[in-house]
Every structure is written in C-alpha cells, then in structure tokens.
Amino acid sequence: MPAYPFSPSLIEHIRSMFLGFAPRKNPPQENLKRAAVGIILVAADDGSGETAFLLTLRCAQMRSHAGQYALPGGRSDQGEDAVDTVIRECLEEVALDLSADRVLGTLDIYATQSGYAITPVVFATTKVPDLCLNPNEVDQVFRIKLSDLSGERSAQFFSQEEGGRRLIRFPIFDHHLYAPTAAIIYQFIEMVAGRNHRVDNLAAPDFATR
C-alpha cells in the first residue's frame, strides 16, 4: 500500500470510494448481538504526515478477548445505531470525542464466531487526539500507518485445518492481528485502493475467539 498522506484530498477520496460501495447490512443470523467498531483515521505520530488508524490493546483483565488488539468499539446499547456506539465507545475507552459529521462510511457487517454482528464505521478526525486511556478497558493505543500493512506486513491467508474456513492475519509488532479486526481492516484498505472485497468468508483461529 502506498504512503497515503493524511489530507483533505485523501478524505474526499475515501468518501468517493464509499459512494460506489454498497455494504452488506444483514448478518447471516438474526440472533447475533449488535456491535460496532471504528476505523478512526488520524495523522501518524511519527512526523511522516501519513494516514494512520487507531488500534487498541485490550486490558488483560477483561472478561472476553483480553489482551488482544482491537479497533475501538463494543456492543451497542439499546436504541443506538452503529455510529452512536462508536462515538460512545471511543469516549469511554480513550476519551476521544468524535461527532457524526466525521463519518466517511460503513463497511460490511461482520459476523463473529463469538456471536456478534459488527458494523465497522470509518471516521476521520483532523484534531490532534489527546487520548486518555480507560485502565479498565485499554492498556495501550497505537497509530498504525496504512502503509505499514504492506510488503512483508501485508495480509496473510491460511487455513487452520484442511477443509476449514479461510483465515486472515496481519503481522504487527511481534505478533499477529487476526479477524475480525484483520478482516475489517483488509476490506477497508482494499476499498481505499479501489478494490472491493467481501470478507465474510474470512474467519479467526479458534484461540483468537476467546
């Protein structure tokens, strides 16, 4: 992926990509719990001027998915839509105050093996985030440049067992980033590059669903 500068022209480019993208809104099972996550686009913090997104490391004491990398977000409260959920969760998790007018679009609903139907919402904020982490939910937050997910760190596809579902992961830091986060990010960066891919066939390994 090229080094996308974080600029008004890039934001408008992403808006235009969403105009030609029809997200799949219906999860395969109606009994799934509704959730939403945010791909929050910001300027990279290394002085490069590139576009990055926020990635959190979940608190090790959480009841589910403890110690895993994740996009900001969570389960939707009653009466909330996906945008409302991401705005609330970002404020609760990292004290980032977003507004609905910063939404660029939504991606496909992703059904997880742990029983959630996740709606990814893409935001862009030009404000310099002054993040304050909620110690009960987030241990660390990172700005991951889009260009970092290229070359040797591009998406990797494999199978957990013969005949099993296709899995996806991104090498990141000294670990791997798995679905659903990896699948959601993959769909987004492919869309930015002008390629539309459905990702409902991409799963997480069993150990990453706990």
Side-chain angles (χ1 to χ4, degrees), residues 18 35-41 71-72 81-87 98 100 102-108 118-124 184 188:
F18 273 112
V37 297
I39 299 179
I40 314 300
L41 302 179
L71 296 167
D81 63 17
V83 172
D84 294 333
T85 299
V86 174
I87 289 174
L98 296 171
R102 305 309 299 169
V103 173
L104 303 184
T106 60
L107 298 170
D108 288 350
I118 301 176
T119 300
V121 186
V122 181
F123 286 78
I184 289 168
F188 173 68

Side-chain angles (χ1 to χ4, degrees), residues 77-91:
D77 288 344
Q78 187 172 1
E80 283 186 335
D81 63 17
V83 172
D84 294 333
T85 299
V86 174
I87 289 174
R88 175 180 54 78
E89 288 283 350
C90 281
L91 195 59

